[in-house]
Amino acid sequence: MNQGIENKVVVITGASSGLGEATARHLAERGAAVVLGARRSDRIDALAKELAAKGYKAKAVQTDVTDRDQVKNLVDSAVDAFGRIDVMLNNAGLMPLAPLERLKVDEWDRMIDVNIKGVLYGIAAALPHMQARKSGHIINVSSVYGHVVDPGATVYCATKHAVRALSEGLRKEVKPYNIRTTIISPGAVSTELLEHISEKDIQAGTKEFVSKIAIGPDTFARTVAFAINEPEDVDINEILFRPTAQPV
Ligand SMILES: NC(=O)c1ccc[n+]([C@@H]2O[C@H](COP(=O)([O-])OP(=O)(O)OC[C@H]3O[C@@H](n4cnc5c(N)ncnc54)[C@H](OP(=O)(O)O)[C@@H]3O)[C@@H](O)[C@H]2O)c1
């Protein structure tokens, strides 16, 4: 495996905005080849073009993480373009908050499909390549809500607890293959995440609270860079960070 960040091939789901986009820029600037996945192909195409124009290595592949074949295609495209995959960043996610009693069952399904099954599909796509090379790094995005449960955030919290559970199992299972695993659990970071809360009263209240304390997405990008940059015999298993002003 390459050491550090330079020349590593990093696949990022949810690269069209927020944390994924910031991380793509951060890692590309440090010499990684970034392969961008998201549904909004206009956004990832423009980002890949912008990075390539600066002399960085970037490729965009339209991907819906709820479709296993599309996630496999994303990873296989990275291997075709750059020869291997070093890092899989399973970042795509959504957080349509609402109390259970509002019965937003379609949104529960969606969170399970994207936040849990999307991560599993990312693991399924990356693992065979990494096992074959006995080298690789899988980074899964959980949340402070993977550590605590708040009323109104129950299903989202369940999905983010699930990400931590499956990441911990993965960590133990991939030891024979020299694969590293990292869970990154951010607190409130300023992104488009709150735009997808359909209940307007909840969206307004959450935005008011988050806007007072949220930190920038570069904070997340730096934690990813830290975990990747450590030497191969160092496995950074979990990073939990919050805005200093965040009480929960
Ligand atoms: N911001 C925070 O405060 C915070 C805190 C803790 C954890 N997180 C987690 O951080 C991750 C990134 O979120 P963000 O804050 O950066 O929010 P964001 O700006 O809304 O970005 C979400 C990303 O996920 C992608 N996505 C959503 N559904 C998808 C699907 N079916 N297939 C492929 N991509 C999909 C979106 O791309 P398309 O819409 O183009 O597909 C977008 O790029 C999420 O897992 C979130 O739960 C965020």
Side-chain angles (χ1 to χ4, degrees):
M1 187 188 209
N2 306 317
Q3 298 290 331
I5 295 171
E6 197 171 4
N7 292 324
K8 276 197 179 150
V9 180
V10 183
V11 176
I12 303 173
T13 67
S16 59
S17 67
L19 307 185
E21 179 185 349
T23 305
R25 290 182 195 284
H26 191 86
L27 297 179
E29 285 164 8
R30 282 154 186 79
V34 293
V35 180
L36 317 173
R39 291 166 306 169
R40 288 172 291 179
S41 56
D42 53 334
R43 295 258 198 126
I44 53 173
D45 285 346
L47 179 55
K49 212 170 155 188
E50 177 198 318
L51 294 173
K54 291 178 180 164
Y56 306 140
K57 292 176 283 263
K59 180 179 172 64
V61 183
Q62 186 177 31
T63 307
D64 183 334
V65 298
T66 67
D67 182 325
R68 184 184 167 190
D69 290 340
Q70 290 189 33
V71 184
K72 185 175 185 306
N73 177 59
L74 170 69
V75 170
D76 290 349
S77 300
V79 174
D80 285 347
F82 299 110
R84 62 179 191 282
I85 171 174
D86 294 305
V87 182
M88 181 75 197
L89 174 56
N90 289 307
N91 164 73
L94 74 164
M95 186 183 73
L97 300 178
L100 292 173
E101 66 183 14
R102 295 200 193 181
L103 300 182
K104 307 291 288 185
V105 178
D106 288 348
E107 293 183 352
W108 303 351
D109 285 342
R110 193 94 198 124
M111 281 189 275
I112 290 165
D113 286 347
V114 176
N115 299 3
I116 303 177
K117 290 172 74 177
V119 171
L120 285 168
Y121 293 161
I123 292 168
L127 207 47
H129 294 287
M130 294 179 176
Q131 283 175 310
R133 293 182 51 242
K134 280 206 176 347
S135 176
H137 192 167
I138 296 178
I139 303 177
N140 296 330
V141 181
S142 179
S143 171
V144 166
Y145 273 157
H147 293 258
V148 302
V149 180
D150 270 349
T154 303
V155 179
Y156 181 74
C157 292
T159 65
K160 291 302 183 178
H161 277 71
V163 169
R164 290 188 58 234
L166 63 89
S167 300
E168 177 63 358
L170 176 71
R171 180 184 73 77
K172 292 176 175 169
E173 290 187 22
V174 296
K175 287 290 155 192
Y177 304 107
N178 190 41
I179 296 170
R180 305 193 289 175
T181 65
T182 304
I183 305 161
I184 303 186
S185 295
V189 181
S190 186
T191 67
E192 297 177 14
L193 197 65
L194 308 186
E195 300 306 320
H196 309 291
I197 301 176
S198 62
E199 298 291 280
K200 291 304 162 200
D201 57 329
I202 291 165
Q203 186 186 48
T206 310
K207 276 189 172 177
E208 193 192 349
F209 167 71
V210 168
S211 65
K212 287 184 188 136
I213 59 165
I215 49 181
D218 55 304
T219 53
F220 173 83
R222 291 199 301 274
T223 65
V224 175
F226 167 69
I228 294 176
N229 195 42
E230 283 299 290
E232 195 182 10
D233 59 354
V234 180
D235 195 7
I236 303 296
N237 297 128
E238 182 150 18
I239 298 173
L240 167 61
F241 72 96
R242 299 169 168 81
T244 309
Q246 181 172 335
V248 181

